[in-house]
Amino acid sequence: MSLTSVVAPSPAPETVAALVGERLSVSALHQLGGTLGGYSFVKVVVDRERAEIHFLNNARHSFHAIYIGEEILGVGEERVRAEIDSYNEAFYHAPDRRFLLGILALHPQLLSLETVEVDTMPAALIREFHAFVAQYVDPALPLLFKPANQLQERIVREIPAGELPRVFAHELFSTAPFVALNPGTATGRLRAFRTQAEYRAATLDWTDIIVMDRVPDDIPRLAGIVNTRHTTPLSHTNVLAAGWQIPNAVQLGALAEVERRGLDGKWVEYTVDAHALTLREVDEPADAAPPSWYAQRITLEQPEADHSPIVNLARLRAADRHRYGTKAANLGELHHVLAHGSQRLLGFYQVPRPPRDSLLPYLARLLDVPADADLAAAARRLLDEHVRVPRGIALPFSLQRRFLESSPRIQQAIGKLKMALELDAREIEPLCVELQGLIRSARMPGALAGEIDSALVSQLAGVRAFVVRSSSNAEDLAGFSAAGIYESHNHVTTAERIFASVKEVWASLVSVRSVRLRQQAGISLDECYMGVVIQEQVAADFGGVLVTTNPMNRADFRTVYVNVSPRVTDVVDGAALPMQYLYSTVEGGGRTVSLGDAPADLDPRAHDQLQRLAIAGRLLQGHFSPDYTFDSPVDIEWLADGEHLHLVQLRPYSA
């Protein structure tokens, strides 16, 4: 049984191309259209020349342009695809355009009308489009225009509401009954928690599917997640769910539905797709088979823990991850790209995307240079003018090893923990807690403290506040992100606090949660080392997380997803719901998905910064791609001031 409130009937027969010139009933909308995010929708074409409206059959025509070519202009699909850029220019940008294109969606008690995201429709055409479509829909449901991008949002705000009824995307998103965060199917025991206290008191294992308002970031590995309040797909919890490839969704009212059906504690088959969430009760298996991820063992590169020096981040390259950890190595690689450029920056845009030979002409427009310009130089210029990496130093694995070996008590505790892990003994948790306490309380040997102090004096003299971050060889991996399981400390100002924070980061390598998650991924404690990054803490107006994909539509190659908060820690730790945006890295332009807990949207200047961030992220995706498809998205933590974007972390994004 589906938990969604909107269920679409079977589509109309494919022989029906469209409903032309007739009023669209709700039942016809269901029959012709598709569903997305729990809402039924139908594509709309208004032919201004003939004063005629077309409601497209989604099963037959998934693209406006193909329909117009075949059914109105008499042009075959092959030709339309071959000349798609010229058609798109005529459909979405020409001031004297013949056709107005959009999507009509059914929401509870209203219909929304929007254009495609790249449409630059001015105010006069927006009014005309809305007024024309209103004549052909059920008058019992109000028709509201929904701006499709930030340009339209600004235009619509200038039109009196009495003349153009409107609803903004973030208003609909905040009340959307269903959001697919990660698709998939799993079978497990459903566990419903109404309070954090209930969750904390429970013992969870890999067979559990949990349902609660907003799932905490410290979850163990599970079979599935249902959030009953809105969250962001870029929170630590959802990044982990994507990496674990478990179904994950937002479903308003799920707790009440679970209670009504008596599913708490029952075994269910849980499925998430783009349209709906379903929970189907099944018989409890006599012997539950291990989940699919249990067989996906993570193999680490051979670490090097012999003596390595403390170095300036700018001296590191990606290949140094086996001595300093992935985070430090990637920051060093970023320094190198900003200083020297990279032939791989254009990689994403050079890939053919039929019918286009490449996306390089789009990049030229985004960079505001002629199509025949040196795009590599223009890309490097964008990064040089707007992107920075805070300066810092990297502590190698060998420093952690020397610290641990300086204490016989720590060595004895490590031996006990390794033995317990081999036997999968019940004592693992108390042994982890004991070992963490020993690491925190042990005195930092004078020689090690002196090396750290000397490096800070020589490399970062004058810095008032530091950030101390983890940089393990068991994080930021394509198959094991470890998002949020290791320590980071902000606002560290004194040498004493720096040494204490470094020990906290080292101790996080043996926390109960990190040890369990690595054990489930087949990562031995013997293989794990912790480097540390100590960076200058930069002042910023706002910050957040960018992933160079659309997590809610992985087939969308154009857009990237951005979370924004006045405090970057709010974005990643779930303390506050961030503002959420989509930005196109092909045609350009953005849209506000959610305001989160913010009282108002950012100003146009900040939106311009986010567009530059989106382009920079896409260029860096090319450089950091592990192969030559250049399709592997990256996850970037960033801060922004009035002039610059400061990148503080870059890692693969599990997709």
Side-chain angles (χ1 to χ4, degrees):
M1 175 179 176
S2 172
L3 288 177
T4 53
S5 57
V6 177
V7 181
S10 300
E14 292 194 15
T15 54
V16 179
L19 180 68
V20 182
E22 298 181 26
R23 186 182 297 275
L24 181 75
S25 66
V26 171
S27 62
L29 187 154
H30 284 313
Q31 291 172 340
L32 288 170
T35 59
L36 183 64
Y39 298 121
S40 295
F41 72 90
V42 66
K43 293 182 176 66
V44 180
V45 172
V46 170
D47 185 343
R48 301 173 72 206
E49 184 177 294
R50 298 179 181 175
E52 193 171 65
I53 193 165
H54 302 247
F55 297 104
L56 279 55
N57 184 339
N58 191 66
R60 178 167 173 179
H61 288 289
S62 56
F63 295 100
H64 291 89
I66 304 300
Y67 172 84
I68 294 172
E70 290 186 339
E71 305 292 338
I72 301 178
L73 302 179
V75 178
E77 178 176 347
E78 185 175 341
R79 179 180 168 188
V80 173
R81 289 186 179 277
E83 301 174 9
I84 192 63
D85 288 339
S86 62
Y87 279 101
N88 285 343
E89 180 66 27
F91 294 157
Y92 302 127
H93 305 300
D96 58 346
R97 67 186 77 175
R98 173 180 170 180
F99 301 104
L100 305 179
L101 284 58
I103 295 174
L104 189 68
L106 176 63
H107 306 269
Q109 282 76 56
L110 67 91
L111 292 166
S112 70
L113 175 68
E114 65 180 307
T115 69
V116 300
E117 293 179 14
V118 300
D119 202 311
T120 55
M121 191 179 290
L125 286 184
I126 289 174
R127 291 172 185 259
E128 178 184 336
F129 189 31
H130 177 268
F132 195 94
V133 175
Q135 302 174 66
Y136 292 92
V137 297
D138 188 341
L141 290 173
L143 177 66
L144 279 59
F145 184 80
K146 175 187 170 189
N149 52 52
Q150 289 164 346
L151 170 64
Q152 287 186 1
E153 288 173 3
R154 292 194 289 271
I155 292 173
V156 166
R157 287 191 174 96
E158 296 297 318
I159 302 174
E163 299 177 16
L164 180 72
R166 80 287 306 272
V167 63
F168 292 96
H170 65 82
E171 295 172 330
L172 289 176
F173 184 85
S174 65
T175 59
F178 168 76
V179 179
L181 295 172
N182 199 60
T185 297
T187 299
R189 188 188 305 276
L190 191 140
R191 307 285 301 277
F193 302 110
R194 293 193 172 274
T195 66
Q196 289 282 331
E198 287 182 10
Y199 168 80
R200 298 296 173 196
T203 300
L204 301 173
D205 65 29
W206 59 263
T207 63
D208 289 326
I209 296 168
I210 62 173
V211 183
M212 59 189 302
D213 271 359
R214 193 174 292 164
V215 177
D217 280 339
D218 62 353
I219 55 170
R221 201 152 189 174
L222 300 164
I225 296 172
V226 183
N227 298 272
T228 65
R229 289 175 56 200
H230 282 281
T231 180
T232 163
L234 305 190
S235 71
H236 281 156
T237 296
N238 299 324
V239 171
L240 288 171
W244 295 337
Q245 299 179 21
I246 62 173
N248 182 19
V250 173
Q251 179 65 63
L252 304 189
L255 278 170
E257 181 72 5
V258 165
E259 183 175 330
R260 184 186 69 80
R261 295 173 57 190
L263 293 178
D264 191 13
K266 301 289 183 62
W267 278 77
V268 299
E269 181 185 77
Y270 170 38
T271 299
V272 174
D273 60 27
H275 312 298
L277 172 161
T278 58
L279 293 170
R280 183 176 65 87
E281 188 173 350
V282 297
D283 293 333
E284 180 177 351
D287 186 17
S292 59
W293 52 258
Y294 191 81
Q296 298 171 1
R297 306 290 84 184
I298 303 298
T299 302
L300 301 184
E301 289 182 312
Q302 183 67 36
E304 183 180 314
D306 294 333
H307 182 73
S308 296
I310 299 174
V311 297
N312 190 301
L313 281 174
R315 290 180 53 193
L316 295 181
R317 298 294 303 275
D320 291 312
R321 58 185 175 269
H322 65 288
R323 294 188 296 155
Y324 295 89
T326 309
K327 190 176 298 179
N330 284 351
L331 288 171
E333 189 74 17
L334 276 172
H335 274 288
H336 179 82
V337 171
L338 297 181
H340 304 287
S342 166
Q343 293 181 332
R344 297 172 62 88
L345 288 175
L346 306 185
F348 171 84
Y349 291 94
Q350 290 173 315
V351 175
R353 298 194 182 266
R356 303 168 183 85
D357 293 333
S358 76
L359 299 178
L360 291 174
Y362 293 88
L363 178 61
R365 287 195 288 271
L366 291 172
L367 297 175
D368 196 23
V369 298
D372 59 353
D374 183 343
L375 292 184
R380 182 176 174 186
R381 187 162 55 249
L382 171 78
L383 297 180
D384 184 61
E385 292 176 357
H386 297 287
V387 178
R388 300 288 184 270
V389 179
R391 56 196 178 125
I393 60 173
L395 312 189
F397 297 159
S398 59
L399 205 71
Q400 179 215 18
R401 180 183 60 79
R402 289 163 58 196
F403 171 79
L404 297 177
E405 291 177 350
S406 71
S407 168
R409 292 184 66 195
I410 289 177
Q411 288 299 298
Q412 185 179 32
I414 291 173
K416 290 180 180 178
L417 178 57
K418 288 180 179 178
M419 180 65 72
L421 287 168
E422 289 179 10
L423 300 174
D424 197 19
R426 288 180 297 177
E427 292 82 3
I428 290 174
E429 182 170 339
L431 287 172
C432 287
V433 173
E434 177 189 1
L435 180 52
Q436 283 193 287
L438 291 172
I439 292 172
R440 293 187 184 109
S441 62
R443 184 182 63 85
M444 179 78 75
L448 300 188
E451 289 179 33
I452 297 172
D453 186 69
S454 295
L456 290 169
V457 170
S458 63
Q459 303 294 330
L460 297 173
V463 172
R464 293 183 179 275
F466 298 87
V467 179
V468 181
R469 303 175 182 274
S470 66
S471 183
S472 171
N473 65 330
E475 65 176 322
D476 297 347
L477 306 174
F480 189 76
S481 75
I485 73 169
Y486 301 126
E487 290 285 340
S488 290
H489 293 269
N490 301 316
H491 312 297
V492 182
T493 56
T494 67
E496 181 180 358
R497 285 304 307 151
I498 285 177
F499 299 149
S501 298
V502 168
K503 289 193 292 181
E504 287 282 359
V505 172
W506 284 338
S508 67
L509 190 68
V510 291
S511 71
V512 175
R513 184 165 178 251
S514 68
V515 166
R516 281 297 192 192
L517 289 176
R518 290 196 307 269
Q519 183 187 33
Q520 291 166 345
I523 300 174
S524 168
L525 184 59
D526 282 326
E527 301 176 276
C528 299
Y529 287 88
M530 180 65 76
V532 181
V533 172
I534 304 176
Q535 280 180 291
E536 177 182 14
Q537 183 167 313
V538 297
D541 299 323
F542 53 95
V545 178
L546 157 77
V547 294
T548 57
T549 186
N550 180 354
M552 295 184 289
N553 181 9
R554 303 290 170 80
D556 175 11
F557 67 86
R558 289 176 164 81
T559 53
V560 301
Y561 207 89
V562 187
N563 277 3
V564 179
S565 172
R567 293 177 56 225
V568 68
T569 52
D570 287 346
V571 176
V572 297
D573 68 12
L577 192 61
M579 293 177 273
Q580 300 172 50
Y581 300 88
L582 284 168
Y583 278 88
S584 173
T585 58
V586 178
E587 293 89 357
R591 67 187 305 177
T592 304
V593 177
S594 170
L595 292 184
D597 292 334
D601 204 346
L602 297 172
D603 59 34
R605 185 180 180 187
H607 289 159
D608 291 342
Q609 274 281 61
L610 296 182
Q611 179 70 76
R612 283 190 288 270
L613 171 69
I615 299 168
R618 190 68 88 188
L619 294 171
L620 292 171
Q621 173 182 324
H623 177 81
F624 282 89
S625 176
D627 55 33
Y628 297 94
T629 66
F630 299 102
D631 276 342
S632 299
V634 292
D635 173 336
I636 298 173
E637 289 185 22
W638 55 274
L639 300 164
D641 56 31
E643 299 297 329
H644 298 113
L645 299 159
H646 303 271
L647 309 189
V648 298
Q649 180 171 311
L650 183 149
R651 61 188 175 192
Y653 178 73
S654 297

